[in-house]
Amino acid sequence: MTEHNPQAARRATYRHGALKPALIEAGLRLARAGGGPDAIVLREAARQAGVAPNAAYTYFADRTALVTAVANAALAQMATMMAAEQAALTLDADPAVAAVQRFRGVGIGYLRFARTEPGLFRTAFTIGRDTTATGSPDAAGPTGRSGIELLADALDEMVAAGNLPPERRPGAEYLVWSAVHGMAFLAIDGPLRTLPDDQLDAMGQRMLDMIGRGI
């Protein structure tokens, strides 16, 4: 009787192209457990994937390349949570109210991801890239839309519903993003991290109200 070797089975699968996602998944585990991108080590990701370190270089030239791929995957998970918040909404029959609800869902999903997945949140924004990186296909969730695209869609819906004057729409996603990201950062790495969850929830709601009135 042949003894089953799980590691050999994994390697056989990797010969068919599954090694790259396995390494990214290992990188996500390392970032989650280690609190951020500094915990992502190419050699350890290869070890967790059950392959020799040299095998990882087939897909990633260096650690930075792996961290970039993990950052994209973290952005995709954030987009998944943002879309889930929207999908869970009971939308009002009034299009104007529904547009605001969907806008708030995007913001709540962003804040929730930061607080429930701080290691992945830190990793998502660790690589110094331009704004196009956050909208890349690799950063998209199951809806096919990245987080910044979900926000842009919500703002476009607010324009169509009459909540947001068209002349104030250009670039509004970056203003909203900056404000929400600031609170998310303060809640996981700044002085707001000492506040209880219910207070942070209430503050997040009030901030989104404030943004909604101000944009």
Coordinates of all heavy atoms in Angstrom, one line a residue, residues 23-84:
L23 N 1.1 30.6 -2.9 CA 2.0 31.5 -2.2 C 1.4 32.8 -1.7 O 1.7 33.3 -0.7 CB 3.2 31.8 -3.2 CG 4.1 30.7 -3.5 CD1 5.0 31.0 -4.7 CD2 5.0 30.3 -2.3
I24 N 0.5 33.3 -2.6 CA -0.3 34.5 -2.2 C -1.1 34.2 -0.9 O -1.2 35.0 0.0 CB -1.1 35.0 -3.3 CG1 -0.3 35.5 -4.5 CG2 -2.1 36.2 -2.8 CD1 -1.0 35.9 -5.7
E25 N -1.8 33.1 -0.9 CA -2.6 32.7 0.3 C -1.7 32.6 1.5 O -2.1 33.0 2.6 CB -3.3 31.4 0.0 CG -4.3 31.0 1.0 CD -5.4 32.0 1.2 OE1 -5.9 32.6 0.2 OE2 -5.9 32.2 2.4
A26 N -0.5 32.0 1.3 CA 0.4 31.9 2.5 C 0.8 33.3 2.9 O 0.9 33.6 4.1 CB 1.6 31.1 2.1
G27 N 1.0 34.2 2.0 CA 1.4 35.6 2.3 C 0.2 36.3 3.1 O 0.5 37.0 4.0
L28 N -1.0 36.0 2.7 CA -2.1 36.6 3.4 C -2.2 36.0 4.9 O -2.4 36.8 5.8 CB -3.4 36.2 2.7 CG -3.7 37.0 1.4 CD1 -4.9 36.3 0.6 CD2 -4.1 38.4 1.7
R29 N -1.9 34.8 5.0 CA -1.9 34.2 6.4 C -0.8 34.8 7.2 O -1.0 35.2 8.4 CB -1.7 32.7 6.3 CG -2.9 31.9 5.8 CD -2.7 30.4 6.1 NE -1.6 29.8 5.5 CZ -1.5 29.3 4.3 NH1 -2.6 29.3 3.6 NH2 -0.4 28.7 3.8
L30 N 0.4 35.0 6.6 CA 1.5 35.6 7.4 C 1.2 37.1 7.8 O 1.4 37.5 8.9 CB 2.7 35.6 6.5 CG 3.4 34.2 6.3 CD1 4.4 34.3 5.2 CD2 3.9 33.7 7.6
A31 N 0.6 37.8 6.8 CA 0.2 39.2 7.1 C -0.9 39.3 8.2 O -0.8 40.2 9.1 CB -0.3 39.9 5.8
R32 N -1.8 38.4 8.1 CA -2.9 38.4 9.1 C -2.4 38.1 10.5 O -2.7 38.7 11.5 CB -4.0 37.4 8.7 CG -5.2 37.3 9.7 CD -6.2 36.3 9.2 NE -7.0 36.8 8.1 CZ -6.9 36.3 6.8 NH1 -6.2 35.2 6.6 NH2 -7.7 36.8 5.9
A33 N -1.5 37.0 10.6 CA -1.0 36.6 11.9 C 0.0 37.5 12.4 O 0.1 37.7 13.6 CB -0.5 35.2 11.7
G34 N 0.8 38.1 11.5 CA 1.9 39.0 12.0 C 1.6 40.4 12.1 O 2.5 41.2 12.4
G35 N 0.4 40.8 11.7 CA -0.1 42.2 11.9 C 0.3 43.1 10.8 O 0.1 44.3 10.9
G36 N 0.8 42.6 9.6 CA 1.1 43.5 8.5 C 2.1 43.0 7.6 O 2.5 41.8 7.7
P37 N 2.6 43.8 6.7 CA 3.5 43.4 5.6 C 4.8 42.9 6.1 O 5.5 42.1 5.4 CB 3.6 44.6 4.7 CG 3.3 45.8 5.6 CD 2.2 45.3 6.6
D38 N 5.3 43.4 7.2 CA 6.6 43.0 7.6 C 6.7 41.5 7.9 O 7.8 40.9 7.9 CB 7.0 43.8 8.9 CG 7.3 45.3 8.6 OD1 7.5 45.6 7.4 OD2 7.3 46.1 9.6
A39 N 5.6 40.9 8.1 CA 5.6 39.5 8.5 C 5.6 38.6 7.2 O 5.8 37.4 7.3 CB 4.3 39.1 9.3
I40 N 5.5 39.2 6.0 CA 5.5 38.4 4.8 C 7.0 38.1 4.4 O 7.7 39.1 4.1 CB 4.8 39.2 3.7 CG1 3.4 39.5 4.1 CG2 4.8 38.3 2.4 CD1 2.6 40.4 3.1
V41 N 7.4 36.9 4.4 CA 8.7 36.4 4.1 C 8.6 35.4 3.0 O 7.8 34.4 3.1 CB 9.5 35.9 5.3 CG1 10.8 35.4 4.9 CG2 9.5 36.9 6.4
L42 N 9.3 35.6 1.9 CA 9.2 34.7 0.7 C 9.5 33.2 1.1 O 8.8 32.3 0.7 CB 10.1 35.2 -0.4 CG 9.8 34.6 -1.8 CD1 8.4 34.9 -2.3 CD2 10.8 35.2 -2.8
R43 N 10.6 33.1 1.8 CA 11.0 31.7 2.2 C 9.9 31.0 3.1 O 9.6 29.8 2.9 CB 12.3 31.8 3.0 CG 12.8 30.4 3.5 CD 14.2 30.6 4.2 NE 15.2 31.0 3.2 CZ 15.9 30.1 2.5 NH1 15.7 28.8 2.6 NH2 16.8 30.6 1.6
E44 N 9.3 31.8 4.0 CA 8.3 31.2 4.9 C 7.0 30.9 4.1 O 6.3 29.9 4.3 CB 8.0 32.1 6.0 CG 6.9 31.6 7.0 CD 7.1 30.3 7.6 OE1 8.3 29.9 7.7 OE2 6.2 29.7 8.1
A45 N 6.7 31.8 3.1 CA 5.5 31.5 2.3 C 5.7 30.2 1.5 O 4.8 29.4 1.3 CB 5.3 32.7 1.4
A46 N 6.9 30.0 1.0 CA 7.2 28.8 0.2 C 7.1 27.6 1.1 O 6.6 26.5 0.7 CB 8.6 28.9 -0.4
R47 N 7.6 27.7 2.4 CA 7.6 26.6 3.3 C 6.1 26.2 3.6 O 5.8 25.0 3.6 CB 8.3 27.0 4.6 CG 8.4 25.8 5.6 CD 8.8 26.2 7.0 NE 7.7 27.0 7.6 CZ 6.7 26.4 8.2 NH1 6.5 25.0 8.1 NH2 5.8 27.1 8.7
Q48 N 5.3 27.2 3.8 CA 3.9 26.9 4.1 C 3.2 26.4 2.9 O 2.2 25.6 3.0 CB 3.2 28.2 4.5 CG 3.6 28.7 5.9 CD 2.6 29.7 6.5 OE1 1.5 29.9 6.0 NE2 3.1 30.4 7.5
A49 N 3.6 26.7 1.7 CA 3.0 26.2 0.5 C 3.6 24.8 0.2 O 3.0 24.1 -0.7 CB 3.3 27.1 -0.7
G50 N 4.6 24.3 0.9 CA 5.1 23.0 0.8 C 6.1 22.8 -0.4 O 6.2 21.7 -0.9
V51 N 6.8 23.9 -0.7 CA 7.8 23.8 -1.8 C 9.1 24.4 -1.4 O 9.1 25.2 -0.4 CB 7.3 24.6 -3.1 CG1 6.0 24.0 -3.6 CG2 7.0 26.1 -2.8
A52 N 10.1 24.2 -2.1 CA 11.4 24.8 -1.8 C 11.4 26.2 -2.1 O 10.7 26.7 -3.0 CB 12.5 24.1 -2.7
P53 N 12.2 27.0 -1.4 CA 12.2 28.5 -1.6 C 12.5 28.9 -3.1 O 11.9 29.8 -3.6 CB 13.3 29.0 -0.7 CG 13.3 28.0 0.4 CD 13.0 26.7 -0.2
N54 N 13.3 28.1 -3.8 CA 13.7 28.5 -5.1 C 12.4 28.4 -6.1 O 12.4 29.1 -7.1 CB 14.8 27.6 -5.7 CG 16.1 27.9 -5.1 OD1 16.3 29.0 -4.5 ND2 17.1 27.0 -5.2
A55 N 11.5 27.5 -5.7 CA 10.3 27.4 -6.5 C 9.5 28.7 -6.6 O 8.8 29.0 -7.5 CB 9.4 26.2 -6.0
A56 N 9.5 29.4 -5.5 CA 8.7 30.6 -5.4 C 9.2 31.7 -6.4 O 8.4 32.5 -6.8 CB 8.8 31.2 -4.0
Y57 N 10.5 31.6 -6.7 CA 11.0 32.7 -7.6 C 10.6 32.5 -9.0 O 10.8 33.4 -9.9 CB 12.6 32.6 -7.5 CG 13.1 33.2 -6.2 CD1 13.6 32.3 -5.2 CD2 13.1 34.5 -6.0 CE1 14.0 32.8 -4.0 CE2 13.6 35.0 -4.7 CZ 14.1 34.1 -3.8 OH 14.5 34.6 -2.6
T58 N 9.9 31.4 -9.3 CA 9.3 31.2 -10.6 C 8.2 32.3 -10.9 O 8.0 32.7 -12.0 CB 8.7 29.8 -10.8 OG1 9.7 28.8 -10.5 CG2 8.1 29.6 -12.1
Y59 N 7.6 32.7 -9.8 CA 6.4 33.6 -9.9 C 6.7 35.0 -9.3 O 6.1 36.0 -9.7 CB 5.2 33.0 -9.2 CG 4.7 31.8 -9.9 CD1 5.0 30.5 -9.3 CD2 4.0 31.8 -11.0 CE1 4.6 29.4 -10.0 CE2 3.5 30.7 -11.7 CZ 3.8 29.5 -11.1 OH 3.4 28.3 -11.7
F60 N 7.7 35.0 -8.3 CA 8.0 36.3 -7.7 C 9.5 36.5 -7.7 O 10.2 35.7 -7.1 CB 7.4 36.3 -6.2 CG 5.9 36.1 -6.2 CD1 5.4 34.8 -5.8 CD2 5.1 37.1 -6.6 CE1 4.0 34.6 -5.7 CE2 3.7 36.9 -6.5 CZ 3.2 35.6 -6.1
A61 N 9.9 37.6 -8.3 CA 11.3 37.9 -8.4 C 12.0 38.2 -7.1 O 13.1 37.8 -6.9 CB 11.5 39.1 -9.3
D62 N 11.2 38.7 -6.1 CA 11.7 39.0 -4.8 C 10.6 39.2 -3.8 O 9.4 39.0 -4.2 CB 12.6 40.3 -4.8 CG 11.9 41.5 -5.5 OD1 10.6 41.5 -5.5 OD2 12.6 42.3 -6.0
R63 N 10.9 39.5 -2.6 CA 9.9 39.7 -1.6 C 8.9 40.8 -1.9 O 7.7 40.7 -1.7 CB 10.6 40.0 -0.2 CG 9.6 40.3 0.9 CD 10.3 40.6 2.2 NE 9.3 41.0 3.2 CZ 8.8 42.2 3.3 NH1 9.2 43.2 2.5 NH2 7.9 42.5 4.3
T64 N 9.4 41.9 -2.5 CA 8.6 43.0 -2.8 C 7.5 42.6 -3.8 O 6.3 43.0 -3.7 CB 9.4 44.2 -3.4 OG1 10.3 44.6 -2.5 CG2 8.5 45.3 -3.9
A65 N 7.8 41.7 -4.7 CA 6.8 41.2 -5.7 C 5.7 40.4 -5.0 O 4.5 40.5 -5.3 CB 7.5 40.4 -6.8
L66 N 6.1 39.6 -4.0 CA 5.1 38.8 -3.3 C 4.3 39.8 -2.4 O 3.0 39.6 -2.4 CB 5.8 37.8 -2.4 CG 4.9 37.0 -1.5 CD1 3.8 36.2 -2.2 CD2 5.7 36.1 -0.5
V67 N 4.9 40.7 -1.8 CA 4.1 41.7 -0.9 C 3.1 42.4 -1.8 O 2.0 42.7 -1.4 CB 5.0 42.7 -0.2 CG1 4.2 43.7 0.5 CG2 5.9 41.9 0.8
T68 N 3.5 42.8 -3.0 CA 2.6 43.5 -3.9 C 1.4 42.7 -4.3 O 0.3 43.1 -4.3 CB 3.3 43.9 -5.2 OG1 4.4 44.8 -4.9 CG2 2.4 44.6 -6.2
A69 N 1.7 41.4 -4.6 CA 0.6 40.5 -4.9 C -0.4 40.3 -3.7 O -1.6 40.2 -3.8 CB 1.1 39.1 -5.4
V70 N 0.2 40.2 -2.5 CA -0.6 40.0 -1.3 C -1.4 41.3 -1.0 O -2.6 41.2 -0.6 CB 0.3 39.6 -0.1 CG1 -0.5 39.6 1.2 CG2 1.0 38.3 -0.3
A71 N -0.8 42.4 -1.3 CA -1.5 43.7 -1.1 C -2.7 43.7 -2.0 O -3.8 44.2 -1.6 CB -0.6 44.9 -1.4
N72 N -2.6 43.3 -3.3 CA -3.7 43.3 -4.2 C -4.8 42.3 -3.7 O -6.0 42.6 -3.8 CB -3.3 42.8 -5.6 CG -2.6 43.9 -6.3 OD1 -2.8 45.1 -6.1 ND2 -1.7 43.6 -7.3
A73 N -4.4 41.2 -3.2 CA -5.3 40.2 -2.7 C -6.1 40.7 -1.4 O -7.3 40.5 -1.2 CB -4.6 38.9 -2.3
A74 N -5.3 41.5 -0.6 CA -6.0 42.1 0.6 C -7.0 43.2 0.1 O -8.1 43.3 0.7 CB -4.9 42.8 1.5
L75 N -6.7 44.0 -0.9 CA -7.6 44.9 -1.4 C -8.9 44.2 -2.0 O -10.0 44.7 -1.8 CB -7.0 45.7 -2.6 CG -6.0 46.8 -2.1 CD1 -5.2 47.3 -3.3 CD2 -6.7 48.0 -1.4
A76 N -8.7 43.1 -2.6 CA -9.8 42.3 -3.1 C -10.7 41.8 -1.9 O -11.9 41.8 -2.0 CB -9.3 41.1 -3.9
Q77 N -10.1 41.4 -0.8 CA -10.9 41.0 0.3 C -11.6 42.2 0.9 O -12.8 42.0 1.4 CB -10.0 40.3 1.3 CG -9.4 39.0 0.9 CD -8.9 38.1 2.0 OE1 -9.2 38.3 3.2 NE2 -8.2 37.1 1.7
M78 N -11.0 43.3 0.9 CA -11.7 44.5 1.4 C -12.9 44.9 0.5 O -14.0 45.2 1.0 CB -10.7 45.7 1.5 CG -11.3 47.0 2.1 SD -10.1 48.3 2.3 CE -9.9 48.8 0.5
A79 N -12.7 44.8 -0.8 CA -13.8 45.0 -1.7 C -14.9 44.0 -1.5 O -16.1 44.4 -1.6 CB -13.3 45.0 -3.2
T80 N -14.6 42.8 -1.2 CA -15.6 41.8 -0.9 C -16.4 42.2 0.3 O -17.6 42.0 0.3 CB -14.9 40.4 -0.6 OG1 -14.2 40.0 -1.8 CG2 -15.9 39.3 -0.3
M81 N -15.8 42.7 1.4 CA -16.5 43.1 2.6 C -17.4 44.3 2.3 O -18.5 44.4 2.8 CB -15.5 43.3 3.7 CG -16.2 43.6 5.0 SD -15.1 43.6 6.5 CE -14.7 41.8 6.6
M82 N -16.9 45.2 1.5 CA -17.6 46.4 1.2 C -18.9 46.1 0.4 O -20.0 46.6 0.6 CB -16.7 47.4 0.4 CG -15.6 48.0 1.2 SD -14.3 48.7 0.2 CE -15.0 50.2 -0.3
A83 N -18.7 45.1 -0.6 CA -19.8 44.7 -1.4 C -20.8 43.9 -0.6 O -22.1 44.1 -0.8 CB -19.3 43.8 -2.6
A84 N -20.4 43.2 0.4 CA -21.3 42.4 1.3 C -22.1 43.4 2.1 O -23.3 43.1 2.4 CB -20.4 41.5 2.2

